[in-house]
Amino acid sequence: MPITAPFKLASREFRDEPTVIAVNGTKIGGKQLPVIAGPCAVESTEQIVTIARLVQKAGASFIRGGAFKPRTGPYSFQGYGEEALKMLKAAKDETGLGIVTEVMTPHEVELVGEYTDMFQLGTRNMTNFYLLREVGRAGKPVILKRGMSATIEEWLLAAEYILAEGNPDVILCERGIRTFETHTRNTLDLNAVPVIHELSHLPIVVDPSHGTGIRSLVCDMTKASVAAGADGLLLEVHHDPDHSMTGDGAQSLFPDQFETLMRELQPIAIAVGREI
Amino acid sequence: MPITAPFKLASREFRDEPTVIAVNGTKIGGKQLPVIAGPCAVESTEQIVTIARLVQKAGASFIRGGAFKPRTGPYSFQGYGEEALKMLKAAKDETGLGIVTEVMTPHEVELVGEYTDMFQLGTRNMTNFYLLREVGRAGKPVILKRGMSATIEEWLLAAEYILAEGNPDVILCERGIRTFETHTRNTLDLNAVPVIHELSHLPIVVDPSHGTGIRSLVCDMTKASVAAGADGLLLEVHHDPDHSMTGDGAQSLFPDQFETLMRELQPIAIAVGREI
Amino acid sequence: MPITAPFKLASREFRDEPTVIAVNGTKIGGKQLPVIAGPCAVESTEQIVTIARLVQKAGASFIRGGAFKPRTGPYSFQGYGEEALKMLKAAKDETGLGIVTEVMTPHEVELVGEYTDMFQLGTRNMTNFYLLREVGRAGKPVILKRGMSATIEEWLLAAEYILAEGNPDVILCERGIRTFETHTRNTLDLNAVPVIHELSHLPIVVDPSHGTGIRSLVCDMTKASVAAGADGLLLEVHHDPDHSMTGDGAQSLFPDQFETLMRELQPIAIAVGREI
Amino acid sequence: MPITAPFKLASREFRDEPTVIAVNGTKIGGKQLPVIAGPCAVESTEQIVTIARLVQKAGASFIRGGAFKPRTGPYSFQGYGEEALKMLKAAKDETGLGIVTEVMTPHEVELVGEYTDMFQLGTRNMTNFYLLREVGRAGKPVILKRGMSATIEEWLLAAEYILAEGNPDVILCERGIRTFETHTRNTLDLNAVPVIHELSHLPIVVDPSHGTGIRSLVCDMTKASVAAGADGLLLEVHHDPDHSMTGDGAQSLFPDQFETLMRELQPIAIAVGREI
C-alpha cells in the first residue's frame, strides 16, 4: 500500500502545457495576468460597490472580499455571511467583475457557489480535506492558498485532492509562509512561483498583501511577483483602510496606490512576456 | 472593534485552578497521568482488540486509533470510517478502555460522538473553525492537537472557540512543530508544557510518537514529557508495526517497549508529584 | 572530490562507547551529571565568588561566566575581558570549582586557555571554522553550543572540525533553536539529546536558561533535560538577577531556586540510571 | 545600561539619502545596478580568467570567486587560499573587473585586503563579531551576507559593528534564509529588499544563486530581485559547472544563460527606474 501518494494530476508529467482557466470572460494561466482586488472583508454594499468600481477602473478583473472570514479567535468579526455574498453580487451586477470569495466548510460550498465565480480556500484550510473534496465536486474554479507552513509538495497534494474529484480548475496562490522574522507578518515566498511552474501545469497567483502584511512593502513585492512569473495577483485595496473591520487595513493599498501600481506593472509584465 | 481577541475562557486569569476532566472513570488534569495508547489507524477488529488488551495490561486508560484519517495526499489510505468506529467499540466492550478517535469535519461529529469518549482534533484541523465550534457543542471532551506551525497563542485561541460554545473539557496536545531540522519528522516542543501551565488552566498531554516520528526516540522523549509536567501521554503502540497500513509504523512502539516504558515512567512521575 | 564530508570521528561508527571527559576532577559523559552554573557575565570578583560559593554548595562542579560576550549589537556590554578571566580564577581559587568561559576568536584561545578549564563556543560561533580549528589544537575540553538554526548534522560536522585537529574532548550543548514561536526567546530542542546519543559518542549537555529565556520555565525544562538523557546541565544562576549587566537576568535562577532544583533533579537522574 | 542597542549609523534616521559606494570605477547604491559574477571557488588561473572574460562581456562589473571557503565539514575542499587570491588578481589584470572575495577570520583581513576590492562576509560569519570589527577598520567596502536565520534587525546590527569602526561602506546581501521547505536549498527572501530600503540607507544586493541553490530557478528570481528594488546582484557563473570543485555547480549559470539573463533584466531595471 503506498504511504505517501505523490501528486499526479497536478504534475508536469501528467500535463505538459500550462492549464488555462476561463472565468467570467477572463483567462487565468495565459499571457494576460488577471488581477483580483478588493477589501479583506465585505462590510457594506456601498463599500464593496465603491471599491469594485475603483479597482475595475484601474484594470482589475475580479472583485474579492470576505463573506465568511477565518479568524484566529472566536471574538473577532467573522464576516457578514450570506448578506455579504449578496453585496458581492451587487458589485458584480454594477461592474461586471467576477467574484472571488472564501468558503470555509463543506456544507457552505453550495451556498457560496450560488454567488461566487471562483472559490477561495484560505491558508488555514489547505489541509481541510473534506472541503478540498467538496470544492472538487462543485464545478467552479478554486484558488487554493498555500498553508502557512506547507511545503510545496504538500500544497500540490492538496490541489490533487481537488483535481482527483474531477475539477481541473485549480489556481495555486502563494500568500506568505511563517518564518522566524518578526518585522513582517509573513514571509512572501516568491521562490514558489518558478518551483510550481517547474513541477506543475497549474497557474499560480501571488498575494503580496497577506504575504507581507505591510502596505509599504506591497508594491515592490507585487512587481517582484510579476517578474518572477506569477500568473496573476491578489491585492487588498480599500478606499478607507483605517476603518476596515478586520484589522487588515494596514496591508490594504489605497485606490490611487493601486492605480499607479497597475500602470507600473505593465513594462515588467511585458519584459517577462506577459500582459497586464 | 477588537482585532485580535486574546483567549479569555482558556486563561489562568479566568480560572486559576487546573481543570480536571473525568472521562470513562479516568481523570485528566489531576495527579494521575492517563495514558492513551494504540495504533495510528484501526485496521481490523482483531488488531484493535489485541492492542487494546496489551496496552491495558501495561497501564493505559484509553485506546486510540484512527477511523477517519487526515492524509497529505488523496491516494493514501483514508481510514475505514464507521466500520473502524465499530471495531473501537468492540475493543472498549472487551477491555473497558475509553475510546479516543479523530473527527475531521463538522457533519461527522454526531456519528463519531456515538462511539468515542473523547474527540481528537488533529494538527491539520486546528484552524478548522467550524469543526472547533461543532465539537464545542457536542458535550464530550476534546483533545486539541497543536497546529504544526501554530504559536501557543493561536493554539489557545483555537481552544477558546470550543470553550466559547459551552464545552469546558478541552485537553491540549503537543505533537511536534515544524522546523528546519530534517533528521526527525517533527520537533517535539516540550517548552509548550510549562508555557501552557503558566498561561492556561487546561490540561496538556504530549504525543512523542508523532512529535518525533522515530521509534528509537519515543521512550526518552516520553520520560522528558512527564518530567516537564505533562498531564498525560498519547503513544502509538502496534503489535506488528512493520505491517501497519499508514506508514506510521516507524514511530510505533512494540508492546514490550511500551510495557517497559510504563514501568520506567513511574519514578519520574513521582519525582514531579504525579502518579502513572 | 567529496562535496559534503559526513562526520566521521564524531560518529558512533567510529567509536561505539560513550566518550567520558575528565576535567578538574569531574567526569562528563559518565554516570554522574555535572552541573555548570553561574551568571551570564562576570561582573566583579565579589559577584562571581559569591555565586561560585552558592552554586558549589548546591552541588555544581563548574562555575561559568562570560568574560568575552558575543552581543547582537556593538553598543551592548561586551564583557570585561581578561579582567573577568582573573575574577573567574579567584572564584576557582576560593571554591575549587572548574571554570567554563567562552572564547570568541582564534587569537584569544591562548589567553582564555590560561584561565579556563573548558572552552565554551557560543551559538553564534558554531560555524566560525578557524575558531573550531584553533580550539582543536588547544588541548582543553570544548563545549560546543548548537548554532541557533543548525541542523544536527551541521552541528556534528562542527564538532568534527575540532576532533580532526586532534582534540577528542568535545561536549555538545543544546541551547535552543530558532522557530516561529515568539512567547519564548528560543525553543529548547530536547529531541537533540536522544538523537545525538544515537548518532555520536560525544556527551551532550543542555542549557535550559538560554534555551527558553524565561526563568519560570527553566526548572521544568531542566527536569525534562535530565529525563531525556542529558549528560550534564548549564544553568544561569545570579544572586541579584535584576541588576545583571547583560539583560539575561530574566532567565537566571535565584540561588534558592537553584538549590531546590538540584534536590528535585536527583530522583529523576536516578530514574534514568544517572546521578547528580 | 542598554540591553539591546538598536542600529543607529545604519538607520534611515541617521542618514536619509541612500549611501552610494564607489569601487573600482563602479557605483553601488545608485541608479546603475552592478553585477558581481563568477564561480563559487577559484580553481585555476585559466578557470577564473576564462569566466572573468565571459561575465565581463555580458556586462558584469566584478568577478567573484572563493579563495577561502567556509565549508560545513572539515574534509571538504577549503579553497586555495593566497594562491587563489593571485589568480583573482590575474583575472583583474586581464579584464579590469573589480574583485570580490570572502574573508573568514580577522587575521586574514590584511592579506585578503591586498588583493580584493570588496570584502565578502559570508552567512556563517554574520555574527563573527571580531571579523566585523576588523573589516570595519580595513578601509575597503564590505558585502555583508545575511545570516541564514538572522532577523533583519540582527543583520542591521551586524552592519552597525562595521560602521561603528569607521567604515561607512557596507553593502547588505540577501542570500536566502532557512525554512522548513526542502525542495530548495534556501528560501530567497525578497521581502528583505524593500524592508532594508525602509529601515536603512545602505545598499542591498541579492544572491539568487545561493538563495535558491537550483540553477533553473535563478533567472526568474534574479528578475524578481531587480523588480523588488535590489541595488545589485551576485550571481554564480561557471563555464563548466559539472566539474566545479565545491559542489555548488548545480546552482551556477552557464555563460550563455548569464548573457541572456543580463539582456532580459534591462527592461525590468528600467521599469523600476534603474539601469543595468
Side-chain angles (χ1 to χ4, degrees):
Chain A
M1 183 166 302
I3 286 164
T4 301
F7 46 94
K8 294 174 192 168
L9 306 176
S11 74
R12 277 275 173 201
E13 282 70 40
F14 179 76
R15 182 186 155 93
D16 193 44
E17 55 184 321
T19 286
V20 180
I21 299 166
V23 202
N24 197 46
T26 298
K27 283 181 183 166
I28 305 176
K31 192 171 186 181
Q32 189 80 19
L33 300 191
V35 176
I36 302 160
C40 183
V42 179
E43 299 170 12
S44 68
T45 303
E46 193 196 344
Q47 175 237 30
I48 198 70
V49 171
T50 301
I51 297 175
R53 280 187 186 132
L54 287 164
V55 301
Q56 181 182 41
K57 198 181 132 211
S61 302
F62 294 90
I63 178 76
R64 54 152 288 171
F68 298 93
K69 300 288 309 165
R71 302 307 300 272
T72 306
Y75 310 124
S76 303
F77 172 60
Q78 312 270 328
Y80 285 132
E82 188 170 2
E83 284 313 299
L85 294 175
K86 290 177 183 167
M87 297 171 193
L88 281 165
K89 182 66 166 46
K92 182 180 181 179
D93 289 345
E94 193 70 31
T95 60
L97 292 177
I99 296 173
V100 174
T101 199
E102 182 158 352
V103 62
M104 285 178 63
T105 202
H107 77 263
E108 289 176 350
V109 166
E110 192 178 339
L111 171 69
V112 175
E114 286 170 24
Y115 295 89
T116 200
D117 292 288
M118 287 200 277
F119 291 106
Q120 180 180 305
L121 261 61
T123 187
R124 289 168 186 76
N125 277 319
M126 193 201 85
T127 53
N128 186 334
F129 301 118
Y130 282 68
L131 179 57
L132 294 171
R133 284 207 201 92
E134 193 67 28
V135 295
R137 291 186 285 258
K140 288 203 167 182
V142 180
I143 295 179
L144 177 63
K145 289 200 160 189
R146 182 183 183 178
M148 66 184 80
S149 74
T151 64
I152 287 171
E153 183 176 307
E154 290 167 342
W155 190 14
L156 286 170
L157 280 165
E160 190 81 14
Y161 267 97
I162 303 172
L163 299 171
E165 294 294 326
N167 185 344
D169 294 337
V170 177
I171 296 136
L172 301 163
C173 177
E174 162 61 31
R175 52 76 68 203
I177 59 171
R178 184 157 276 186
T179 68
F180 53 81
E181 179 60 53
T182 54
H183 186 82
T184 48
R185 191 166 151 191
N186 294 292
T187 297
L188 188 70
D189 177 13
L190 291 184
N191 307 274
V193 175
V195 171
I196 288 293
H197 283 153
E198 206 161 274
L199 300 179
S200 179
H201 54 87
L202 297 172
I204 173 168
V205 300
V206 178
D207 177 350
S209 303
H210 283 89
T212 61
I214 302 176
R215 182 186 299 134
S216 61
L217 305 177
V218 170
C219 291
D220 284 341
M221 292 310 287
T222 303
K223 292 174 188 175
S225 302
V226 171
D231 294 302
L233 297 163
L234 246 83
L235 285 162
E236 271 192 32
V237 180
H238 200 293
H239 66 302
D240 187 13
D242 294 344
H243 298 94
S244 146
M245 296 180 75
T246 59
D248 277 359
Q251 69 197 29
S252 293
L253 295 178
F254 291 102
D256 59 338
Q257 283 181 300
F258 178 67
E259 206 182 319
T260 304
L261 175 61
M262 289 293 282
R263 268 201 312 275
E264 292 178 351
L265 289 175
Q266 290 178 20
I268 300 174
I270 291 167
V272 294
R274 310 294 280 263
E275 284 169 17
I276 195 163
Chain B
M1 180 163 305
I3 286 164
T4 300
F7 46 93
K8 294 174 193 169
L9 306 176
S11 74
R12 277 273 173 202
E13 282 70 40
F14 178 76
R15 182 187 156 91
D16 192 45
E17 53 184 322
T19 286
V20 179
I21 299 166
V23 202
N24 197 47
T26 298
K27 283 182 182 165
I28 305 176
K31 192 171 185 182
Q32 188 80 20
L33 300 191
V35 176
I36 302 159
C40 182
V42 179
E43 299 170 13
S44 68
T45 303
E46 194 197 344
Q47 175 237 28
I48 199 69
V49 171
T50 301
I51 297 175
R53 282 186 185 135
L54 288 165
V55 300
Q56 182 183 39
K57 197 181 133 210
S61 302
F62 294 90
I63 177 77
R64 54 154 288 171
F68 298 93
K69 300 289 308 166
R71 302 306 300 272
T72 306
Y75 310 125
S76 303
F77 172 59
Q78 312 269 328
Y80 285 132
E82 189 170 2
E83 284 312 299
L85 296 175
K86 290 176 183 167
M87 297 171 193
L88 282 165
K89 182 67 166 46
K92 182 179 181 179
D93 290 345
E94 194 70 32
T95 60
L97 292 177
I99 295 173
V100 174
T101 199
E102 182 159 353
V103 62
M104 287 178 61
T105 201
H107 77 263
E108 289 176 349
V109 167
E110 192 178 338
L111 171 68
V112 175
E114 286 170 25
Y115 295 89
T116 201
D117 291 288
M118 288 199 276
F119 292 107
Q120 179 180 305
L121 261 61
T123 188
R124 290 168 186 77
N125 277 320
M126 194 202 84
T127 54
N128 186 334
F129 300 118
Y130 281 68
L131 179 57
L132 294 171
R133 284 207 201 92
E134 193 67 27
V135 295
R137 291 187 286 258
K140 288 205 168 179
V142 180
I143 295 179
L144 177 63
K145 289 199 160 188
R146 181 182 184 179
M148 66 184 82
S149 74
T151 63
I152 286 170
E153 182 175 309
E154 290 167 342
W155 190 15
L156 286 169
L157 281 164
E160 191 81 13
Y161 266 99
I162 303 171
L163 299 170
E165 294 294 326
N167 185 345
D169 295 336
V170 177
I171 297 136
L172 300 164
C173 177
E174 161 62 29
R175 50 77 65 204
I177 58 171
R178 185 158 275 186
T179 69
F180 53 81
E181 178 60 51
T182 53
H183 186 82
T184 48
R185 192 166 150 192
N186 295 292
T187 297
L188 187 70
D189 177 13
L190 291 184
N191 308 273
V193 175
V195 171
I196 287 293
H197 283 154
E198 205 161 273
L199 301 179
S200 178
H201 54 86
L202 296 172
I204 173 168
V205 299
V206 178
D207 177 351
S209 304
H210 283 89
T212 60
I214 301 177
R215 183 185 301 135
S216 61
L217 306 177
V218 170
C219 292
D220 285 341
M221 293 309 287
T222 303
K223 294 174 187 175
S225 303
V226 171
D231 294 303
L233 297 164
L234 246 82
L235 285 163
E236 270 191 33
V237 180
H238 201 295
H239 65 303
D240 186 12
D242 295 344
H243 297 95
S244 145
M245 294 181 78
T246 59
D248 276 0
Q251 70 197 27
S252 294
L253 295 178
F254 292 101
D256 59 338
Q257 284 182 300
F258 177 67
E259 207 183 318
T260 304
L261 176 61
M262 289 292 283
R263 267 202 312 275
E264 292 178 350
L265 289 174
Q266 291 179 21
I268 301 173
I270 291 168
V272 295
R274 310 293 280 264
E275 284 169 18
I276 194 161
Chain C
M1 183 166 301
I3 286 164
T4 300
F7 47 94
K8 293 173 192 169
L9 306 175
S11 73
R12 277 274 173 200
E13 281 72 38
F14 179 75
R15 182 188 156 91
D16 191 45
E17 53 185 323
T19 285
V20 179
I21 300 167
V23 203
N24 197 47
T26 298
K27 284 182 182 164
I28 305 174
K31 190 170 186 182
Q32 189 79 19
L33 299 191
V35 175
I36 302 160
C40 182
V42 179
E43 299 171 13
S44 69
T45 303
E46 195 196 342
Q47 175 237 27
I48 197 73
V49 172
T50 301
I51 297 175
R53 281 188 186 131
L54 288 165
V55 301
Q56 183 183 39
K57 198 181 133 210
S61 302
F62 294 90
I63 177 76
R64 54 153 290 172
F68 300 93
K69 300 287 311 164
R71 303 306 301 271
T72 306
Y75 310 125
S76 303
F77 172 59
Q78 311 269 327
Y80 285 132
E82 189 170 2
E83 284 312 300
L85 295 176
K86 290 176 184 168
M87 297 171 193
L88 282 166
K89 182 66 167 46
K92 182 180 182 179
D93 289 345
E94 195 68 34
T95 59
L97 292 177
I99 296 173
V100 173
T101 199
E102 182 159 354
V103 61
M104 285 178 63
T105 201
H107 77 264
E108 288 176 350
V109 167
E110 193 179 337
L111 172 68
V112 175
E114 286 170 23
Y115 294 90
T116 201
D117 291 289
M118 288 200 277
F119 292 107
Q120 180 180 307
L121 261 62
T123 188
R124 289 167 185 78
N125 277 319
M126 194 202 85
T127 55
N128 186 335
F129 300 118
Y130 282 67
L131 180 57
L132 293 172
R133 284 206 200 94
E134 195 67 27
V135 296
R137 291 186 287 258
K140 287 203 169 182
V142 181
I143 296 178
L144 177 64
K145 289 198 160 187
R146 182 181 184 180
M148 66 184 80
S149 74
T151 63
I152 285 170
E153 182 176 308
E154 290 167 342
W155 190 16
L156 286 170
L157 281 164
E160 190 82 13
Y161 265 98
I162 302 172
L163 300 170
E165 294 294 326
N167 186 345
D169 295 337
V170 178
I171 297 135
L172 300 163
C173 177
E174 162 60 31
R175 51 76 67 204
I177 58 171
R178 184 157 276 186
T179 69
F180 52 81
E181 178 59 54
T182 54
H183 186 81
T184 49
R185 191 165 151 194
N186 294 292
T187 297
L188 188 70
D189 176 14
L190 291 184
N191 307 273
V193 175
V195 171
I196 287 293
H197 282 153
E198 204 162 274
L199 301 179
S200 178
H201 54 86
L202 297 172
I204 174 168
V205 300
V206 177
D207 178 350
S209 304
H210 282 90
T212 61
I214 301 176
R215 182 185 301 134
S216 61
L217 306 177
V218 170
C219 292
D220 285 341
M221 292 310 285
T222 303
K223 293 174 188 174
S225 302
V226 171
D231 295 302
L233 297 164
L234 247 81
L235 286 163
E236 272 192 31
V237 180
H238 201 294
H239 65 302
D240 187 13
D242 295 344
H243 297 96
S244 147
M245 295 180 77
T246 58
D248 277 358
Q251 70 198 29
S252 294
L253 296 179
F254 292 102
D256 59 337
Q257 283 182 300
F258 178 66
E259 207 183 318
T260 304
L261 176 61
M262 288 293 283
R263 265 201 313 275
E264 293 178 348
L265 290 175
Q266 290 178 22
I268 300 174
I270 291 167
V272 295
R274 310 294 280 264
E275 285 170 16
I276 195 161
Chain D
M1 181 164 304
I3 285 165
T4 301
F7 46 94
K8 295 173 192 169
L9 306 175
S11 74
R12 278 273 173 203
E13 283 70 41
F14 178 76
R15 182 187 156 92
D16 192 44
E17 55 184 322
T19 284
V20 179
I21 299 166
V23 202
N24 196 48
T26 298
K27 284 181 182 165
I28 306 175
K31 190 171 187 182
Q32 189 79 20
L33 299 191
V35 175
I36 302 160
C40 182
V42 180
E43 298 170 13
S44 69
T45 304
E46 195 196 342
Q47 176 237 26
I48 197 71
V49 171
T50 301
I51 297 175
R53 281 188 186 131
L54 288 165
V55 301
Q56 182 183 39
K57 199 181 132 208
S61 301
F62 294 90
I63 177 77
R64 55 153 288 173
F68 299 93
K69 300 288 309 165
R71 301 308 299 273
T72 306
Y75 310 125
S76 303
F77 173 59
Q78 311 270 328
Y80 285 133
E82 189 170 3
E83 284 313 298
L85 295 175
K86 290 177 183 168
M87 298 171 192
L88 282 165
K89 182 65 166 47
K92 182 179 182 180
D93 290 344
E94 195 70 32
T95 58
L97 292 178
I99 295 173
V100 173
T101 199
E102 181 158 354
V103 61
M104 286 178 62
T105 201
H107 78 263
E108 288 177 349
V109 166
E110 193 178 339
L111 172 68
V112 175
E114 286 170 24
Y115 295 89
T116 200
D117 292 288
M118 288 199 277
F119 292 106
Q120 180 181 305
L121 261 60
T123 187
R124 288 167 186 78
N125 277 319
M126 194 202 85
T127 54
N128 186 334
F129 301 118
Y130 282 68
L131 180 57
L132 293 171
R133 285 206 201 93
E134 194 66 27
V135 297
R137 292 186 287 257
K140 287 203 168 181
V142 180
I143 296 178
L144 177 63
K145 289 198 160 188
R146 181 182 184 179
M148 66 185 82
S149 74
T151 64
I152 285 170
E153 183 176 307
E154 289 168 342
W155 190 16
L156 286 169
L157 281 164
E160 190 81 14
Y161 265 97
I162 303 172
L163 300 170
E165 293 294 325
N167 185 345
D169 295 335
V170 178
I171 297 134
L172 300 164
C173 176
E174 162 61 30
R175 51 77 66 204
I177 58 171
R178 186 158 275 186
T179 68
F180 53 81
E181 178 61 51
T182 54
H183 186 81
T184 49
R185 192 166 150 191
N186 294 292
T187 297
L188 188 70
D189 176 14
L190 291 183
N191 308 274
V193 175
V195 171
I196 287 292
H197 283 153
E198 204 162 274
L199 300 179
S200 179
H201 54 86
L202 296 173
I204 174 168
V205 299
V206 178
D207 177 351
S209 304
H210 282 89
T212 60
I214 301 176
R215 182 184 300 133
S216 61
L217 305 177
V218 171
C219 292
D220 285 340
M221 293 310 287
T222 303
K223 293 174 187 175
S225 302
V226 171
D231 294 302
L233 297 164
L234 246 82
L235 285 163
E236 271 193 30
V237 180
H238 200 295
H239 65 301
D240 187 13
D242 294 344
H243 297 95
S244 146
M245 294 180 77
T246 58
D248 276 0
Q251 70 197 30
S252 294
L253 295 178
F254 292 101
D256 58 338
Q257 284 181 298
F258 178 67
E259 207 184 318
T260 304
L261 175 62
M262 288 294 282
R263 267 202 311 276
E264 292 178 350
L265 290 175
Q266 290 179 23
I268 300 173
I270 291 167
V272 294
R274 309 296 279 266
E275 284 170 16
I276 195 160

